[in-house]
Amino acid sequence: MAGRRDRLHHLRGSRIAIAILVGILIGCICTVLFPDGFFNSGSSFTVNEQRLSQSTTSKVGQASCESSERVKMLKSDFALISEKNAELRKQVRELTEKVRLAEQDTENTRKQVLVLGTEIKAGSFGTVKSLRTNPTVVSDESFNPRLAKLLEKVAVNNEIIVIASVKRVGIQNYLVVALDDSIENFCKSNGVAYYTSGGNHTVSGLKFRVLREFLQLGYGVLLSNVDIVFLQNPFGHLYRDSDVETTSDGHDNSTAYGFNNGFDEPSMGWARYAHTMRIWVFNSGFFYLRPTLPSIELLDRVADTLSKADAWDQAVFNEQLFYPSHPGYTGLHASKRVMDMYEFMNSKVLFKTVRKDHELKKLKPVIVHLNYHPDKLSRMQAVVEFYVNGKQDALDSFPDGSE
């Protein structure tokens, strides 16, 4: 037993010696491999911090670049969306106008069917409405295929302006009738759609003959002289409920739209007073014609009269519109509408009234016709300065009339 205890004691001592030896050996190895110790703050932690700092800086720089590129992309997208939005608004306006015209045509067609298609009875008091518009003619392209092809390209909703330059207000359906070579050459050099007629009539008579060709092809025509400033698109301000819509030479409600005028003849005693209906003439320099038989007949009558006599076309135009049927004469059965004198303004209205009225000056007309003044160019330029460029005193220097 004593020998066994000695061996166990000796074995335990050997194990302790081995463990001490192993510990010393590990210590030496660690001293060689890690001379600065395990927890030196200037070593691994500093490296990690540097790596973290570099990573953060890289990410910030990358984020900044990405942010700049994102802003550019957003601006580009916004510009594209704005452009598309403007185009959509334009399409909505065009579609709205087409719907309005379609509804108007539908209502006119319904009335025509009621009046022309069947025998009808008059309704109760206050419900009877006569037919306001005549049916449009069927297009006959065979008589002038060249013009028909041209109008098919230029016209919008089968309507066109016969005029010079109206690009500034966004009118696309315009056509210049070139009455001489200089106008034709001007149109060619400026890329303006034009039409020439081979007639040898006087200019005033030729104008009405050319317009007849447009109507015969089924197109509504808005005629304009060159002394007119366009400030808005006139097609959005037409009623299209009459054969003829035209501007007036009148300068107030009475003269433009008509009034009851008393006539005094004292020698008649008790019957000395008579009443007359008065209205100032329609202006033949700016009017709209629907493609109807009365409109075509009007042009035929005016052109025929001008070919036989040296007369003022505006006087003949009004005589044919207003003279009623009487013995030896059959009047023209055409419906008429006077345009709003503040929307379709003549220069007398502008310079005598509107420019002196604080409230009327705020209104923006559709057109201004410089028909009352011989210094047309300077006044036209002043109209553009006032209504387009906002120069409030642009009209002030001119007299009411011509001096």
Side-chain angles (χ1 to χ4, degrees), residues 301 322-333:
R301 289 188 177 207
F322 286 101
Y323 282 173
S325 297
H326 56 267
Y329 176 80
T330 301
L332 178 71
H333 301 287

Side-chain angles (χ1 to χ4, degrees), residues 145-159:
R146 179 172 68 94
L147 180 58
K149 187 176 181 180
L150 177 61
L151 292 178
E152 186 177 353
K153 295 180 180 179
V154 176
V156 175
N157 296 328
N158 271 32
E159 293 178 326

Side-chain angles (χ1 to χ4, degrees), residues 292-302 330-333:
T292 63
L293 292 178
S295 296
I296 294 175
E297 186 181 358
L298 168 66
L299 298 177
D300 287 350
R301 289 188 177 207
V302 174
T330 301
L332 178 71
H333 301 287

Side-chain angles (χ1 to χ4, degrees), residues 112 116 133-138 212 215-216 218 242-244 289-301 332-335:
Q112 291 165 13
L116 302 176
T133 55
N134 287 286
T136 58
V137 298
V138 176
R212 186 195 199 281
L215 298 185
Q216 191 170 349
S242 303
D243 299 307
V244 182
L289 298 177
R290 293 181 63 250
T292 63
L293 292 178
S295 296
I296 294 175
E297 186 181 358
L298 168 66
L299 298 177
D300 287 350
R301 289 188 177 207
L332 178 71
H333 301 287
S335 56

Side-chain angles (χ1 to χ4, degrees), residues 54-66:
Q54 292 174 355
S55 175
T56 303
T57 303
S58 176
K59 290 181 179 180
V60 169
Q62 184 178 0
S64 178
C65 293
E66 291 179 354

Side-chain angles (χ1 to χ4, degrees), residues 13 18-19 42 67 112 119 124 138 145-146 187 194 196 203 260 265 269-270 280 288 291 296 308 315 353 356 385:
I18 292 172
S67 177
Q112 291 165 13
E119 294 182 356
S124 57
V138 176
R146 179 172 68 94
C187 293
Y194 69 94
T196 58
V203 171
N260 187 318
E265 189 177 7
W270 176 82
W280 285 33
Y288 174 77
I296 294 175
K308 297 176 181 178
T353 305
K356 302 175 184 179
E385 285 294 316

Side-chain angles (χ1 to χ4, degrees), residues 212-262:
R212 186 195 199 281
E213 298 182 32
F214 293 98
L215 298 185
Q216 191 170 349
L217 287 170
Y219 290 87
V221 177
L222 182 62
L223 179 130
S224 172
N225 282 355
V226 294
D227 58 344
I228 289 174
V229 178
F230 281 78
L231 301 169
Q232 299 185 60
N233 190 328
F235 286 108
H237 299 265
L238 298 176
Y239 283 81
R240 300 176 179 85
D241 62 350
S242 303
D243 299 307
V244 182
E245 284 184 67
T246 181
T247 52
S248 172
D249 275 357
H251 58 90
D252 55 24
N253 286 341
S254 296
T255 56
Y257 309 138
F259 62 101
N260 187 318
N261 184 56

